[in-house]
């Protein structure tokens, strides 16, 4: 059986690039040579120090290294907006916000009504409104773009939300307790319907809907169903379209699917926490490649990965890390729940 460890040598994206100048030593690409690279590992960060911040010169003098400030402990969801990267830390009950301009990190950890217990995923709307799926509270907690608490969706014993996807007029919320995706009106947050439409008789039931991605233009909702070892694809009205995966560790199969993402061309990213890689499929569900290289010493390794998020807005933050002669179309953030590097940043390389 072909394993994921050998996948890089036999799979490349159908949209291959022209030959480019050799990169400087130290750059890590996926798939590796001799295949044409499509993804480059750019950087990783886990605390203020990785952004260049050092508040304790004395500690650095004593230990010989910079003291970690505001470290991530056990991250899951990640999002980006306006030069800041937001990471849910389930162990600390907070969202850590990394401000790359100021080279600082701070916690969104309010008290009172806005208090977070187990924030799993965060999604940020165009206006900056932050939706935090908190499985500990059993609610989706909303904050303004200035970190001020707005409200919480749902009664505390009603659901167990783990992710939120946003369209222009709707909110899609995974509910691990009800084994459905709840669909709300964004305007007044009233429940419209659930997916599947009738879970008791639906041909395609959801066992553990964990993570979401949405493409409003294509009318597609991608649901990571961890319990079914697959990713289910529905239209935005709840009609089942197709599925990707199936239990296993061979290419195209999934052992523990978690985070999912969609790019503007319809490519589907799926995190597998068991095989510790991210697989990329085309819009028809055909496997193209993977990246992550689990359990090696290669830069860009993943260790118990959880979430994946794409970012077209902030490529400039990592421009200096992109290999000479190459261009980055968008950033790919992947969180790791263990290990030294909690958030890995990759770049999807443009064709030239």
């Amino acid at each position: 059986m072909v394993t994921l460890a050998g996948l890089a040598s036999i799979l490349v994206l159908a949209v291959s690039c022209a030959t480019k100048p050799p990169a400087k030593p130290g750059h890590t690409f996926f798939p590796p040579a001799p295949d044409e690279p499509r993804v480059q590992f750019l950087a990783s960060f886990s605390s203020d120090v990785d952004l260049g911040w050092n508040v304790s010169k004395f500690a650095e003098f004593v230990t010989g290294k910079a003291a970690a400030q505001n470290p991530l402990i056990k991250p899951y969801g990640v999002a980006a907006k306006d030069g800041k990267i937001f990471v849910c830390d389930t162990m600390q009950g907070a969202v850590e916000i990394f401000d790359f301009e100021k080279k600082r990190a701070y916690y969104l950890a309010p008290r009172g009504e806005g208090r977070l217990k187990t924030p799993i995923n965060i999604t940020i709307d165009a206006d900056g409104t932050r939706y935090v799926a908190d499985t500990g509270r059993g609610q989706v907690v909303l904050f303004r773009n200035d970190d001020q608490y707005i409200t919480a969706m749902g009664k505390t014993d009603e659901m167990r939300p783990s992710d939120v996807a946003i369209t222009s007029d709707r909110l899609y919320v995974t509910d691990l307790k009800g084994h459905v995706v709840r669909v709300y009106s964004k305007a007044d947050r009233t429940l419209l319907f659930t997916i599947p439409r009738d879970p008791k008789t639906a041909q395609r039931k959801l066992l553990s809907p964990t993570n979401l991605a949405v493409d409003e233009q294509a009318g597609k909702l991608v649901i990571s169903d961890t319990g079914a070892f697959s990713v289910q694809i529905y239209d935005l009205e709840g009609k089942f379209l197709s599925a990707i995966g199936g239990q296993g560790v061979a290419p195209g199969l999934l052992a523990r699917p978690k985070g999912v993402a969609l790019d503007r061309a319809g490519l589907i990213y799926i995190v597998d926490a068991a095989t510790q890689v991210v697989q990329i499929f085309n819009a028809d569900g055909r496997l193209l490649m993977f990246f992550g290289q689990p359990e090696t010493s290669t830069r860009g390794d993943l260790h118990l990965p959880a979430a994946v998020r794409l970012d077209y807005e902030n490529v400039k933050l990592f421009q200096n890390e992109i290999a000479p002669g190459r261009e980055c179309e968008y950033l790919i953030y992947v969180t790791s729940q263990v290990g030294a590097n909690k958030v890995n940043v990759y770049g999807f390389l443009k064709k030239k």
Side-chain angles (χ1 to χ4, degrees):
M1 179 180 292
V2 180
T3 65
L4 286 172
L7 191 57
S9 64
I10 62 173
L11 292 172
V12 294
L13 283 168
V15 286
S16 298
C17 302
T19 303
K20 299 183 178 61
K24 293 179 181 178
H27 290 125
T28 302
F29 296 104
F30 303 94
D35 291 323
E36 179 64 21
R38 294 314 312 255
V39 173
Q40 179 192 343
F41 170 73
L42 301 178
S44 64
F45 61 91
S46 302
S47 72
D48 279 11
V49 171
D50 300 314
L51 275 60
W53 177 259
N54 182 17
V55 296
S56 178
K57 293 295 182 182
F58 177 74
E60 184 176 2
F61 172 78
V62 171
T63 64
K65 60 182 180 180
Q69 302 291 322
N70 300 327
L72 286 167
I73 305 301
K74 190 176 182 181
Y76 198 112
V78 59
K81 183 73 173 173
D82 299 331
K84 299 176 181 178
I85 299 177
F86 302 72
V87 186
C88 292
D89 193 326
T90 59
M91 187 69 73
Q92 301 197 79
V95 175
E96 186 160 6
I97 302 174
F98 291 83
D99 188 326
F100 277 73
E101 180 179 350
K102 297 180 179 179
K103 302 184 184 305
R104 292 295 308 270
Y106 61 94
Y107 297 110
L108 174 59
R111 299 180 179 180
E113 290 184 310
R115 179 175 176 267
L116 299 171
K117 292 185 177 179
T118 314
I120 296 293
N121 274 299
I122 178 170
T123 304
I124 304 176
D125 206 350
D127 65 357
T129 303
R130 297 141 192 196
Y131 296 82
V132 180
D134 191 319
T135 56
R137 283 185 58 145
Q139 295 177 305
V140 176
V141 190
L142 281 64
F143 299 92
R144 297 191 323 220
N145 60 1
D146 61 359
D147 299 340
Q148 295 302 305
Y149 170 74
I150 299 174
T151 190
M153 292 172 53
K155 299 177 181 178
T156 55
D157 60 347
E158 181 177 51
M159 61 176 173
R160 190 170 174 237
S162 59
D163 203 359
V164 180
I166 302 172
T167 65
S168 58
D169 61 350
R170 288 178 177 175
L171 304 171
Y172 293 79
V173 180
T174 52
D175 179 6
L176 290 166
K177 182 177 181 179
H179 310 285
V180 297
V181 173
R182 293 171 168 262
V183 185
Y184 296 87
S185 164
K186 189 163 72 171
D188 58 10
R189 297 184 287 276
T190 58
L191 181 65
L192 302 176
F193 58 91
T194 60
I195 300 174
R197 287 284 196 160
D198 186 354
K200 295 182 179 179
T201 60
Q203 183 179 5
R204 280 283 179 176
K205 295 182 178 180
L206 294 173
L207 298 181
S208 303
T210 307
N211 293 272
L212 293 172
V214 66
D215 184 338
E216 186 170 11
Q217 185 174 0
K220 184 182 294 185
L221 180 71
V222 176
I223 307 168
S224 176
D225 192 345
T226 305
F229 311 101
S230 63
V231 167
Q232 314 288 352
I233 303 175
Y234 289 77
D235 71 15
L236 300 185
E237 299 302 319
K239 178 184 177 182
F240 174 78
L241 300 177
S242 62
I244 296 173
Q247 185 175 12
V249 295
L253 299 180
L254 300 168
R256 191 168 178 78
K258 287 194 172 182
V260 288
L262 282 163
D263 81 354
R264 292 174 180 172
L267 297 184
I268 302 169
Y269 289 71
I270 303 175
V271 172
D272 193 324
T275 55
Q276 301 188 98
V277 298
V278 179
Q279 297 191 61
I280 305 177
F281 297 80
N282 69 8
D284 296 324
R286 181 170 65 88
L287 179 62
L288 301 176
M289 62 167 285
F290 85 101
F291 63 91
Q293 299 276 47
E295 299 179 5
T296 71
S297 58
T298 306
R299 296 169 71 242
D301 289 359
L302 297 172
H303 301 275
L304 198 62
V308 58
R309 182 79 70 171
L310 309 184
D311 177 13
Y312 288 81
E313 178 186 340
N314 297 292
V315 173
K316 61 183 180 181
L317 295 178
F318 301 94
Q319 189 65 45
N320 292 338
E321 305 299 329
I322 299 168
R326 303 184 188 276
E327 292 184 47
C328 178
E329 183 176 351
Y330 54 82
L331 301 172
I332 308 162
Y333 306 114
V334 185
T335 58
S336 288
Q337 294 192 293
V338 299
N341 299 324
K342 295 301 198 299
V343 181
N344 276 357
V345 184
Y346 306 85
F348 188 87
L349 303 177
K350 287 183 178 180
K351 289 200 300 180
K352 280 187 127 180

